Structure formats: C-alpha cells, structure tokens
Amino acid sequence: MKKVVLLFSLIAMLAIQANAQRKKSYNNSDPSNYTTALGVRLNPWIVGFTIKHFIQGPHAIEGLVTTNHEHRNNLTITGLYEYNWNIGLPELNMYAGGGAHLGFYDRRDYDWDRYEDHHFKNGSYVSPGLDGIIGIEYTFKKIPLNVSADLKPYVQFVGPTNYMGEEIGGVSARYTF
C-alpha cells in the first residue's frame, strides 16, 4: 500500500510540474482563486493526500488517496468532480459534487468477524463505490494555503463495508499555486 501512495504522490508531483503555474487573482464572479492545490486530508480515523485542480471557472476535479489509522492495510483512491461558488467573501467558497472510489481492503483487518466465520483463504478484496461531497473552503490571500471541511458520504458495492461509515467527513490543508 505504501508503494501505491508513493506512486500516486509521484504522479501528482509530475502533473503539478507540467501544469502552467499561473496565479489567479481574486474575482468575485470566479470562485477558482487558485489553479491547483496539493495537501493532506484528515479526520479522526483517516489520513491521506488530496489534490484539487480547477478545470475552468467553477469546475474542479479532486483526487484523494486515504488510509485508515487503525487499519493500515486499507487504501482508498477517490476521484471527484466539484462545482464551486463564492459565499460572501472572494476567498470563501462552497462546493458540491460527486465521483467514485476504489477501495483495497484487508478482510482480516477490516472485517474480522466475517473473515473468521467464512475462513477466507485470501483476506483482501477490492470494493468500488460512489461518493458525494459537499463542503466549504477558505483560501488565504497573503499565503499559498487553502483549508477546507466537508462531508463525503459514500456507498460501496462489494464487501462488508457497504454503508456510509466513519470516513464520511474530513478537513484538508493544501498548498495552492
């Protein structure tokens, strides 16, 4: 799993370097007050990386790679589309959207009871799912920092975790450029 996170980080850094690095100015009609932001995402149960890139105007895409603190053999890769709009201040945006994820889980680590009951030979499985997202973010004017808080409900199609679980929300801090 560490190799997957390292590979994603390397790809993200290469994408960032290939991207035109123009700094956007604050404009009340355009919520995209930065082009790309890279950082960390946390909640009491998960830690991960996040990269958000504005495609055009209020339309952005976000990629997440997260793992559970307690169950370190689990990894979730998520891709989201987000529509952004200003609320009050040019630096303050709300966003909403949706996307999909692919989770790689160790059944022995994540669902011990079911693993013991069925005596699985291979404890790992892959679970696709759908995600929604709604949140708020603030981008500082003087420093290249963006902070956000959101709710990200999800549903999985395979495995024991086919519900909206503890990883439903989070906070992020990102370096903007």
Side-chain angles (χ1 to χ4, degrees), residues 115-127:
Y115 177 78
E116 281 295 304
D117 290 344
H118 294 95
H119 304 288
F120 292 104
K121 290 182 182 174
N122 184 354
S124 61
Y125 65 97
V126 177
S127 180

Side-chain angles (χ1 to χ4, degrees), residues 1-5 45-47 65-77 102-112 115 122-127 156 161 166-167:
M1 294 300 164
K2 291 180 183 177
K3 290 180 183 179
V4 174
V5 172
W45 298 276
I46 64 164
V47 63
V65 175
T66 57
T67 188
N68 192 298
H69 292 292
E70 192 174 315
H71 310 292
R72 290 184 200 99
N73 291 331
N74 302 310
L75 181 77
T76 305
I77 300 171
L102 196 59
F104 303 91
Y105 304 102
D106 183 350
R107 198 178 309 268
R108 289 172 286 180
D109 195 19
Y110 208 82
D111 190 30
W112 179 256
Y115 177 78
N122 184 354
S124 61
Y125 65 97
V126 177
S127 180
Q156 297 193 139
T161 57
E166 60 196 18
E167 300 169 7

Side-chain angles (χ1 to χ4, degrees), residues 29-32 54-60 81-85 95:
S29 64
D30 187 7
S32 60
F54 278 91
I55 303 167
Q56 182 178 14
H59 308 282
Y81 162 80
E82 298 169 355
Y83 184 83
N84 297 259
W85 64 94
Y95 55 92

Side-chain angles (χ1 to χ4, degrees), residues 91-161:
E91 311 83 25
L92 190 62
N93 292 336
M94 281 200 71
Y95 55 92
H101 73 267
L102 196 59
F104 303 91
Y105 304 102
D106 183 350
R107 198 178 309 268
R108 289 172 286 180
D109 195 19
Y110 208 82
D111 190 30
W112 179 256
D113 295 334
R114 189 173 290 182
Y115 177 78
E116 281 295 304
D117 290 344
H118 294 95
H119 304 288
F120 292 104
K121 290 182 182 174
N122 184 354
S124 61
Y125 65 97
V126 177
S127 180
L130 293 177
D131 298 72
I133 191 163
I134 185 164
I136 189 167
E137 70 178 9
Y138 183 84
T139 305
F140 291 89
K141 284 184 179 180
K142 304 285 185 192
I143 58 174
L145 179 65
N146 168 272
V147 292
S148 67
D150 59 59
L151 292 175
K152 191 181 76 61
Y154 67 92
V155 63
Q156 297 193 139
F157 300 125
V158 178
T161 57

